[in-house]
Amino acid sequence: GGISVIGAFTQLTKLNVSFCDLKSVPACIETLTSLRKMKLWVLDDGVLQKLAPLLPKLRLLEDLSLNRFSPGSQYLMAELQPVERKEMLALGRSLKAWPPPLLHFSRGSDILFWRGWQALGLPEEAAASQWDDETVLEHWRVQQHKVIAFASGHHARLGSASNVMLLHD
C-alpha cells in the first residue's frame, strides 16, 4: 500500500508529496514517465539519496522541487533544512550522468551543487561564484552534448567535418 502503488499511475503528470514522514522512494517512481512536475518535502535524510538514481528515467520532468523540513514543523511554518552533502552528491552524480533535457528546479529548492564542485567535476568557478543549481544543470547539459557530439563524429576538432579527416585522403 501507501506510496508504493504510485507506479500504477503511469500517466501521472504531477506528484506532490508534502509533509509526511516518507522513509523511502519506491523504485516504481521510474515508471512515471509522463511526470512533468514533482514536489517532495521530506524529513528523512536518505529519501533524496534513494530518489537520485531514478531521476534520469523521468525524461519529461520539467519542474522539480526537493525540500527537507525539520521534525515538528507546521505546514505553513516549515523550517527548511539544507540538503545533506551525501544527498547533494547522489543527486548531482545522477543528474550529471544524464540530466533530463527539460528539467528546472523550482524556486526555493536549493540543492547547492556548487558545494561539491570537486566531487562533481565542476570547474572551480562553480564554487568561487557559487553557481545556482540551474547554472550547474546547464553546465552538465553542455558537457553531455559535447560527449555525444564527440561520440557521434560531429565534434568540431575531431569529428567527420574536421581537418583530421582530411588525413585519410
Side-chain angles (χ1 to χ4, degrees):
I3 195 166
S4 63
V5 299
I6 198 81
F9 300 104
T10 57
Q11 296 304 306
L12 191 69
T13 59
K14 294 179 185 177
L15 177 63
N16 185 347
V17 180
S18 300
F19 298 97
C20 65
D21 195 7
L22 188 64
K23 295 286 185 200
S24 186
V25 175
C28 64
I29 290 274
E30 70 186 9
T31 65
L32 303 179
T33 54
S34 297
L35 201 62
R36 296 191 186 284
K37 184 174 185 169
M38 181 165 45
K39 182 176 188 175
L40 293 179
W41 286 73
V42 299
L43 177 62
D44 191 88
D45 286 347
V47 172
L48 298 180
Q49 210 168 347
K50 293 170 186 157
L51 174 68
L54 307 176
L55 287 176
K57 308 257 169 92
L58 305 176
R59 303 303 295 158
L60 297 179
L61 193 61
E62 297 172 5
D63 187 10
L64 181 61
S65 178
L66 302 174
N67 296 289
R68 290 185 66 242
F69 65 96
S70 298
S73 293
Q74 298 298 318
Y75 181 71
L76 295 175
M77 304 289 277
E79 184 179 324
L80 293 178
Q81 299 295 310
V83 171
E84 295 290 329
R85 181 174 173 79
K86 64 185 178 206
E87 294 175 311
M88 177 268 297
L89 291 174
L91 290 164
R93 288 180 179 126
S94 181
L95 292 173
K96 177 184 178 186
W98 202 257
L102 307 173
L103 182 62
H104 295 282
F105 293 101
S106 291
R107 176 181 244 162
S109 181
D110 293 326
I111 299 168
L112 306 176
F113 291 118
W114 64 266
R115 295 178 297 153
W117 70 275
Q118 288 177 311
L120 295 174
L122 292 168
E124 190 172 348
E125 177 191 349
S129 301
Q130 296 186 356
W131 283 1
D132 63 24
D133 294 336
E134 288 293 320
T135 303
V136 170
L137 195 56
E138 186 56 31
H139 172 78
W140 287 332
R141 285 189 187 114
V142 168
Q143 296 306 309
Q144 182 187 48
H145 289 301
K146 288 179 182 179
V147 169
I148 292 169
F150 179 77
S152 64
H154 292 98
H155 191 275
R157 288 187 296 128
L158 303 173
S160 59
S162 72
N163 290 334
V164 173
M165 291 307 293
L166 298 175
L167 297 175
H168 292 297
D169 292 339

